[in-house]
Amino acid sequence: MDLLRLFVAIVLCLLFAAGLAAGQPAVTNCQAGQGFLHGVASGDPTATSVILWTKFTSRTPTQPADLTWYISTSKDLSDATGRTSGTVSANATTDFTVKVDVTSLQADTGFYFAFASGNYSSQLGTTKTLPTMGGPRRQIRLAQQSCVNWRFGFWHVYNMTAQILDIDALVFLGDIIYKYGDDTYPTTDAPPFHRAVDASVRGSVQPSHELVNLSDYRLRHSHAQTDAALQEMQRRVPLIAIWDDHDVANNAWKGGAKDTASVPWSERMAAGVQAWHEYVPIRSAGPTKADRLKIHRTLGALLLWLLWKGVLHSGHSNTTIRRIHTSRPSRTTPPDSWDTLPNLAQLRSSYYEALAAPDRTIIESTAANIPWQLFGNGVIVSPRRTPDIEQAIQELYGATASAILEGLLSVSTGKLASVINGLGSSARVLVGTDNNNKSSDSNHSHHHHKPYSKHSVCFAAIVEPGRYNDTIITDGWDGYVSDREKLHQIFRNSANPVVLAGDSHNAWAYNIIDPNTSLPLALEFDDPSVTPPGLDALTQLLPAATQVCHNC
């Protein structure tokens, strides 16, 4: 078998050499472990240009390599009149990744492209340019994705996206990698839906520890690029992308992140951003901070504005601002005493005043003069509020409401079933958080003077925001109220604006409501994750007798 593989490799190399002599590169790797092992990709298409990307692995890893790139309207790259080519160096400065900004292309046209170096050639990629501004109108079809974690399983949606032949571009809205180590997210002892795929099936993520420096981030990106489904999608569909916090660090802001690290935050942030730009096929950031925070593109008659979740450059921490969290329920705090916690009203008032402060900004500029029509960003724009489960129980069950809530907090199967059937799919999902490891607390009494179990506190933390209509997540637009009002004003001046968002791991579609008029401002579409679980997975925590919402 090894001799046969060697023979085939030699034949392919000879064919490659013959093709190159004829001005037509073949498209195969000549030897395992060397060549274009990370595939090819394209991105940031305009009407007249597109970025081509690849990474080259040579026999001597530290030595630069000269690559030749080709792009043509002909599949076999043999039409010299329609073919453009050039050379570029792959070297250690960019971890042997290369980007070529090919210009002077024909608008609204499909192209084939490939790279070659010595006896190696890449896969054949396909890409396309966009329609011209003011040109003939046509439908533009976009794919939308976000949130990819290697250890949660295979990336099947990439294969599915690659099979759709008429996509103009893939809009990727952040978290193209996760910076966690093997022991953090996911973990091997988590509930089934939250558990890591066995390493013998999927393979371990590289490196196995939390990402903190440039070599770490580069290795994680490089490892992700070895996935066959990712390579197939990226070779066929041009990418328009932004990054989000997990590409660098969880809940990051200008002065640090939720995750501590052994290197200064400025170095860690710079390393994560640099590796992202090396491995993602978009035009590299400009010289200013504002350039690094935003990407905007014209899509024919549409204007696409992609805004990265700018809390990484915000001057406000996402953790210290959450003073109200100090008053949230604990294992010994029953729901009926939440209102009597010390200084609760004052803490809540101060909390929301801080979130609405004009100087608390998520973006450098809202570019008020740009009439956005398609707005893509990493987080949900519309306010996120948990339904008031307590109020719904009271309205439905009256005098028995207290007993039913007590049943929820103690995971009483019969009472839980009643609430699930009465409150609909939202409550089914939310109530599902209350069944984690219930057997471990079977010795606890279900009266308020006894400590609640860990899973009861989990449910209580969902009930409490509903009672007070509290914000759930503050590292997105809910935490930057003044800036969201600026965004609302831009939507008021735009024609039929549409919002694309990621981050939540769930698919949502709804109108963004104008707080001043209660009328729709924009239509928002939020995509599910590629692999990490969302709220819908929490239904798997319900007792077997109440599994009535498998697909909600």
Side-chain angles (χ1 to χ4, degrees):
M1 180 62 71
D2 289 339
L3 289 176
L4 177 60
R5 288 176 178 171
L6 178 61
F7 173 76
V8 170
I10 292 173
V11 170
L12 290 175
C13 287
L14 291 174
L15 289 174
F16 171 87
L20 188 62
Q24 171 185 330
V27 283
T28 182
N29 285 314
C30 291
Q31 189 171 340
Q34 300 172 40
F36 297 92
L37 307 180
H38 297 80
V40 296
S42 66
D44 266 4
T46 71
T48 59
S49 64
V50 69
I51 296 291
L52 305 183
W53 176 95
T54 193
K55 177 175 180 175
F56 186 72
T57 305
S58 66
R59 185 172 300 172
T60 44
T62 60
Q63 295 299 316
D66 291 329
L67 311 184
T68 302
W69 55 268
Y70 302 83
I71 187 169
S72 174
T73 54
S74 175
K75 184 175 183 179
D76 61 8
L77 303 179
S78 62
D79 183 2
T81 59
R83 186 185 70 200
T84 303
S85 63
T87 59
V88 62
S89 175
N91 55 64
T93 303
T94 56
D95 204 29
F96 296 90
T97 65
V98 299
K99 290 182 184 180
V100 180
D101 193 352
V102 185
T103 60
S104 301
L105 298 174
Q106 183 177 350
D108 203 11
T109 301
F111 293 90
Y112 300 90
F113 69 95
F115 291 84
S117 180
N119 292 330
Y120 304 104
S121 61
S122 72
Q123 297 172 301
L124 182 67
T126 60
T127 190
K128 61 174 64 175
T129 51
L130 298 174
T132 57
M133 194 71 171
R137 289 178 175 267
R138 72 166 177 87
Q139 176 178 301
I140 292 179
R141 193 173 190 183
L142 303 174
Q144 177 183 347
Q145 296 172 357
S146 65
C147 304
V148 189
N149 189 314
W150 178 280
R151 298 183 66 243
F152 273 119
F154 293 100
W155 301 340
H156 299 299
V157 70
Y158 287 169
N159 278 322
M160 298 169 66
T161 303
Q163 295 171 18
I164 304 174
L165 302 180
D166 59 344
I167 294 177
D168 289 282
L170 166 63
V171 178
F172 198 93
L173 297 171
D175 295 341
I176 204 166
I177 62 167
Y178 273 68
K179 52 32 176 208
Y180 296 113
D182 265 343
D183 58 348
T184 306
Y185 181 72
T187 57
T188 55
D189 58 350
F193 74 89
H194 220 274
R195 189 173 298 161
V197 174
D198 192 287
S200 64
V201 177
R202 178 63 167 144
S204 298
V205 69
Q206 298 178 16
S208 61
H209 56 263
E210 179 95 1
L211 310 183
V212 295
N213 56 43
L214 182 58
S215 61
D216 289 343
Y217 287 103
R218 282 175 166 176
L219 180 55
R220 183 67 56 88
H221 279 284
S222 181
H223 181 232
Q225 284 291 150
T226 63
D227 181 81
L230 174 61
Q231 288 192 17
E232 179 64 12
M233 179 184 71
Q234 288 195 342
R235 81 171 185 89
R236 299 188 65 165
V237 182
L239 183 71
I240 302 173
I242 55 177
W243 59 75
D244 200 4
D245 56 345
H246 291 297
D247 291 296
V248 180
N250 188 30
N251 289 351
W253 64 292
K254 185 176 181 179
K258 181 178 180 180
D259 309 310
T260 59
S262 57
V263 300
W265 168 242
S266 60
E267 294 181 18
R268 187 183 186 191
M269 181 181 68
V273 170
Q274 178 178 334
W276 189 91
H277 275 287
E278 290 171 350
Y279 278 87
V280 179
I282 71 162
R283 287 176 180 81
S284 296
T288 70
K289 181 188 294 186
D291 291 330
R292 293 194 297 270
L293 281 172
K294 64 182 184 292
I295 317 165
H296 65 275
R297 299 290 179 263
T298 55
L299 300 182
L302 293 178
L303 178 67
L304 173 67
W305 180 271
L306 292 176
L307 171 72
W308 176 56
K309 186 167 67 175
V311 290
L312 189 65
H313 291 274
S314 167
H316 298 267
S317 167
N318 297 309
T319 53
T320 59
I321 195 67
R322 296 180 179 181
R323 289 170 288 174
I324 194 173
H325 287 202
T326 61
S327 297
R328 288 200 164 172
S330 68
R331 292 175 64 88
T332 58
T333 306
D336 57 8
S337 68
W338 292 342
D339 290 314
T340 62
L341 292 172
N343 303 320
L344 179 62
Q346 180 180 349
L347 286 169
R348 179 166 281 105
S349 176
S350 299
Y351 175 70
Y352 283 105
E353 286 179 8
L355 294 185
D359 65 339
R360 180 174 167 81
T361 181
I362 193 173
I363 49 180
E364 291 296 303
S365 170
T366 52
N369 294 324
I370 297 178
W372 292 336
Q373 194 163 1
L374 188 61
F375 175 82
N377 79 128
V379 290
I380 297 173
V381 172
S382 193
R384 297 289 85 198
R385 300 289 190 271
T386 299
D388 191 341
I389 303 297
E390 283 186 291
Q391 180 181 354
I393 293 172
Q394 184 67 42
E395 292 174 355
L396 285 168
Y397 297 101
T400 62
S402 296
I404 291 175
L405 182 60
E406 180 75 7
L408 291 175
L409 293 175
S410 61
V411 198
S412 173
T413 303
K415 295 170 183 175
L416 185 62
S418 299
V419 175
I420 288 171
N421 292 328
L423 299 185
S425 61
S426 294
R428 294 171 200 164
V429 172
L430 294 172
V431 170
T433 64
D434 190 41
N435 192 37
N436 185 24
N437 299 321
K438 69 173 185 175
S439 61
S440 64
D441 292 283
S442 58
N443 61 324
H444 287 158
S445 169
H446 302 318
H447 297 289
H448 284 169
H449 65 276
K450 294 291 185 180
Y452 289 116
S453 64
K454 178 180 179 181
H455 52 273
S456 297
V457 174
C458 180
F459 177 72
I462 288 180
V463 172
E464 184 246 4
R467 170 184 282 192
Y468 300 109
N469 196 33
D470 277 340
T471 293
I472 300 175
I473 300 174
T474 58
D475 65 337
W477 290 99
D478 273 341
Y480 298 83
V481 180
S482 179
D483 267 4
R484 182 160 57 191
E485 173 52 32
K486 298 174 186 176
L487 184 62
H488 286 168
Q489 186 57 48
I490 293 170
F491 289 157
R492 294 182 187 108
N493 298 328
S494 301
N496 301 318
V498 175
V499 172
L500 308 179
D503 190 62
S504 74
H505 300 181
N506 283 101
W508 314 92
Y510 42 75
N511 286 317
I512 296 175
I513 302 301
D514 190 332
N516 296 335
T517 66
S518 299
L519 297 175
L521 268 178
L523 186 63
E524 180 164 352
F525 295 97
D526 306 324
D527 61 75
S529 65
V530 174
T531 50
L535 281 175
D536 56 294
L538 296 175
T539 57
Q540 298 185 37
L541 292 177
L542 292 170
T546 58
Q547 283 282 4
V548 294
C549 190
H550 294 287
N551 298 315
C552 64

